Amino acid sequence: IEYFSNEPIVELVEQPHRGILALLDEACLAAGTVTDPLFLSSMDTRLGQHPHYSSRKLCPTDKTMEFDRDFRIKHYAGDVTYSVEGFLDKNKDTLFQDFKRLLYNSADPVLRAMWPEGEQSVTEVTKRPLTAGTLFKNSIGALVENLASKELLYVRCLRPNGAQRPWVLERPLCARQVSALGLLENVRVRRAGFASRQPYGRFLQRYKMTCELTWPFPLVPGDREAVQILLEQLGFQGDVSYGRSQLFIRSPRTLLLLEQQRARLLPLLVLLLQKAWRGALARRRCRSLRAAYTIMAYYKRHKVKAYLRALLGRFQAARSLPDFGKSLAWPEPPPVLGQFQEVTQRLFCRWWALQVVRNVPPSALGQVRAKVAALGVLGGLRPDWGCGRCWAQDYLSSPSENPGLALHFARRVQALQDKVHFSSVLFSCHVRKINRFGKSRDRAILVTDHHVYKLDPQQQYRVMRELPLSTVTGLSVTSCQAQLVVFHTQNQEDLAVCLHKMQPAGDNRVGELVGVLLEHCRATQRELQVQVADSIQLSFHGRRRVLRVETRPDAATPDFARTREGFVLYWPER
């Protein structure tokens, strides 16, 4: 294969004592006045017979070069014309060692790093500095020695156009670069020999996934045997040769087919690796979660056991305590037992109530039932309804509550009992009443198991109104401290009274009246509606009225008054 040899051109430039660089150094070191034309004349004399050198003096008919200025070298890439103007000045290095030593000894670290040659003392370096051509030649020689110690991989780059524009290809420019780089000769050499050569280990590592017998691990021990099996399975054994340590592939098409098969299998291998790695991560996370859940389970079990032991130790002797454990503080439950503690507290409250009821004497059971009934309708709606005191119910029969008139009241009750034959007195108290004309009077109220009586204390408790208890459909009370009670009846003839003249003053008896009536209705299987509101609707002879409560600091006793929409009860501020 014919190819352009670059060795004569290298000798033309670098040959000692005869090359262009040697002649240039000689001209720079010569005594006397030496000019660039003299240097060109010296090259014409010594290099005129070289086939790759020419000048205008050697070729007078070549008008592309000037006399005493230009010379031409025929490189492998083409002819190059050089001008000798400034060659001698550019080749001389006038930077002597003493100046380099001065810059090296500078306090600036940047200047000191730029001139490492100044580190040598004056006794070590005394000769003239090397010329630029010699320095360039030495640098090229060091580069060639460094490249010779490496494994060379050449990359040829082509410039597609001279305008630096994308998607523009100038064919003459590219053809000239291909010729200058010697690519055609390289292709001919490759075609005459082997297109690729690779060590067996590297080839097997890159293409072993294309054969079932070599993936993921070969079935034979050696790399060469594994490569032979791979190529025989793919049908490429006729296009390769086996060396001692390398595989030689003749056709580039074989490499192309191998790369195509490898590119087709790589996504599948990536998916396989991703699946395996994700499975490993999932199994690791699953083990971590199982360990965490196990620790959580043991911790929850420990907290539950500690809570149950604390609960058992605290309430084990509750039956022997005076209050049956009502004052004991409950331990803080773990979150998992929050609902359990709520249920347990409800069960404890029912057990505690059962223990309290068992210790209540039979004579007081009726009062307990009445308080429970009042709590069901007034609890949370009225702040104070007399739950914490003993309910006497029949207050007008007590000399301490009704001094001087208790005997007259007892006689009136006995007379009514002889007439109506009721069983018991449910409630009695002094009240302030209002009628449909807006007139308020002091009266007394007597509630039996058959009737509700309105009595006049000033006339020995003469009966002013008799209301059958079966006609009472509901009660209305307020949410404030006012002792207002409204009896709603079937015939829409309601009774509105305010309890007063109680001992002690400020006693709250609304809850007692409500609870007693509710317990009596429960025992007789009747329904009684109880309403708690600040504005109460009532009826007088079928006419609807509104009764509300106002607190007055200057009021000594509760009293009613008439308003545009109905009535108002002025309650003294306490």
Side-chain angles (χ1 to χ4, degrees), residues 7 16 31 45 63 71 116 120 124 146 157 193 225 254 269 295 316 329 354 481 573:
E7 185 176 359
T45 303
K63 296 183 179 182
F71 69 93
Q120 299 176 348
E124 297 178 359
N146 189 20
C157 299
E225 292 78 6
T254 302
L269 296 180
I295 295 174
Q316 191 171 10
L354 179 61
Q481 295 293 329
E573 184 176 1

Side-chain angles (χ1 to χ4, degrees), residues 161-183:
N161 59 79
Q164 297 184 359
R165 291 188 301 171
W167 307 106
V168 176
L169 183 66
E170 297 180 2
R171 296 178 63 88
L173 178 61
C174 294
R176 186 166 62 253
Q177 294 179 79
V178 169
S179 175
L181 292 174
L183 295 182

Side-chain angles (χ1 to χ4, degrees), residues 201-411:
R202 183 187 302 173
F203 182 87
L204 181 63
Q205 186 68 24
R206 184 170 182 83
Y207 301 109
K208 65 180 180 178
M209 72 284 298
T210 59
C211 179
E212 297 179 355
L213 302 179
T214 57
W215 176 262
F217 300 104
L219 300 179
V220 293
D223 293 342
R224 177 173 178 173
E225 292 78 6
V227 170
Q228 289 179 353
I229 294 175
L230 186 149
L231 294 174
E232 289 175 0
Q233 289 289 328
L234 298 178
F236 298 139
Q237 66 274 12
D239 195 38
V240 298
S241 295
Y242 301 97
R244 288 187 303 174
S245 62
Q246 291 185 346
L247 173 69
F248 298 89
I249 302 176
R250 186 177 304 275
S251 174
R253 182 175 179 81
T254 302
L255 275 180
L256 178 61
L257 295 176
L258 286 172
E259 287 293 334
Q260 289 178 351
Q261 293 190 23
R262 180 176 180 271
R264 180 174 54 84
L265 293 174
L266 276 181
L268 302 179
L269 296 180
V270 171
L271 291 178
L272 178 63
L273 294 176
Q274 287 181 349
K275 180 177 68 174
W277 177 242
R278 289 172 180 171
L281 292 180
R283 286 188 292 271
R284 183 187 304 175
R285 177 175 175 79
C286 182
R287 288 193 295 268
S288 301
L289 290 177
R290 286 180 178 176
Y293 287 150
T294 303
I295 295 174
M296 291 168 58
Y298 276 97
Y299 180 74
K300 288 180 179 180
R301 194 176 304 170
H302 164 71
K303 296 294 288 185
V304 169
K305 289 182 179 179
Y307 168 76
L308 293 178
R309 284 193 294 266
L311 190 65
L312 181 62
R314 191 167 299 184
F315 287 91
Q316 191 171 10
R319 189 184 298 272
S320 60
L321 297 177
D323 60 347
F324 300 104
K326 183 180 180 180
S327 60
L328 294 177
W330 287 72
E332 185 68 23
V336 70
L337 293 181
Q339 187 177 2
F340 169 79
Q341 177 154 329
E342 294 179 1
V343 176
T344 307
Q345 287 177 345
R346 288 197 295 268
L347 293 176
F348 175 77
C349 290
R350 298 186 67 175
W351 174 84
W352 178 83
L354 179 61
Q355 301 302 318
V356 172
V357 170
R358 285 179 178 176
N359 292 297
V360 173
S363 59
L365 286 178
Q367 183 179 158
V368 172
R369 294 191 184 96
K371 288 184 177 182
V372 172
L375 177 64
V377 296
L378 301 180
L381 300 177
R382 187 179 176 93
D384 184 15
W385 46 274
C387 178
R389 61 177 181 80
C390 181
W391 289 357
Q393 299 182 5
D394 189 5
Y395 292 96
L396 296 183
S397 297
S398 173
S400 59
E401 175 79 16
N402 191 17
L405 297 178
L407 182 60
H408 297 289
F409 178 76
R411 291 174 181 173

